[in-house]
Amino acid sequence: MTINEIIKEWQTKLGISHWDITTEKIDPEQVIYNGEKYFIGITIDWDNLSGVIYHDIDLDEESIIHELLHIRYSTEDEDWVNETTKQYIFSKYQY
């Protein structure tokens, strides 16, 4: 699956398929790291129902789910998003 296909799959699962989500790879020199080894983050435009996932490493399904959860559950904190991301990944790939 391509990154765009993964994004569309999870947009549908999360009920945000009407959003326009794009990705943009950025140069690591554009990022101020606070002990992190990489950067992945989303900017959200609520007026236009769009978002851009910025990243300095290759995206994977877990990262995409995480960033889309910030749209779907915008009032939840980072710990909740982290835990929910793990639950979605586990439920998709459990045997």
Side-chain angles (χ1 to χ4, degrees), residues 4 17 37 42 44 46 54 56 67 74 81 89-90 94:
N4 286 334
S17 57
K37 296 181 181 180
I42 190 166
I44 300 170
W46 296 104
Y54 292 96
D56 64 359
E67 298 309 323
S74 61
V81 171
I89 288 293
F90 178 77
Q94 70 180 340

Side-chain angles (χ1 to χ4, degrees), residues 10 14 38 60-71 73 76-93:
W10 283 99
L14 295 171
Y38 62 89
D60 59 15
E61 186 171 29
E62 185 173 350
S63 300
I64 290 166
I65 294 167
H66 179 99
E67 298 309 323
L68 294 179
L69 284 171
H70 282 297
I71 292 173
Y73 300 101
E76 297 294 344
D77 66 17
E78 192 69 16
D79 289 336
W80 185 92
V81 171
N82 288 335
E83 184 59 35
T84 304
T85 301
K86 290 176 191 174
Q87 291 172 8
Y88 275 120
I89 288 293
F90 178 77
S91 66
K92 181 173 181 179
Y93 293 105

Side-chain angles (χ1 to χ4, degrees), residues 6-81:
I6 295 169
I7 290 170
K8 292 296 180 194
E9 173 189 354
W10 283 99
Q11 280 185 264
T12 300
K13 288 180 179 183
L14 295 171
I16 56 171
S17 57
H18 56 291
W19 279 68
D20 179 30
I21 305 296
T22 58
T23 66
E24 186 174 326
K25 186 138 187 172
I26 58 174
D27 186 326
E29 292 185 17
Q30 294 176 273
V31 180
I32 298 173
Y33 299 92
N34 293 318
E36 300 92 357
K37 296 181 181 180
Y38 62 89
F39 176 83
I40 300 173
I42 190 166
T43 58
I44 300 170
D45 181 340
W46 296 104
D47 293 332
N48 294 305
L49 301 179
S50 64
V52 179
I53 300 173
Y54 292 96
H55 57 101
D56 64 359
I57 61 170
D58 290 338
L59 290 174
D60 59 15
E61 186 171 29
E62 185 173 350
S63 300
I64 290 166
I65 294 167
H66 179 99
E67 298 309 323
L68 294 179
L69 284 171
H70 282 297
I71 292 173
R72 179 63 182 87
Y73 300 101
S74 61
T75 60
E76 297 294 344
D77 66 17
E78 192 69 16
D79 289 336
W80 185 92
V81 171

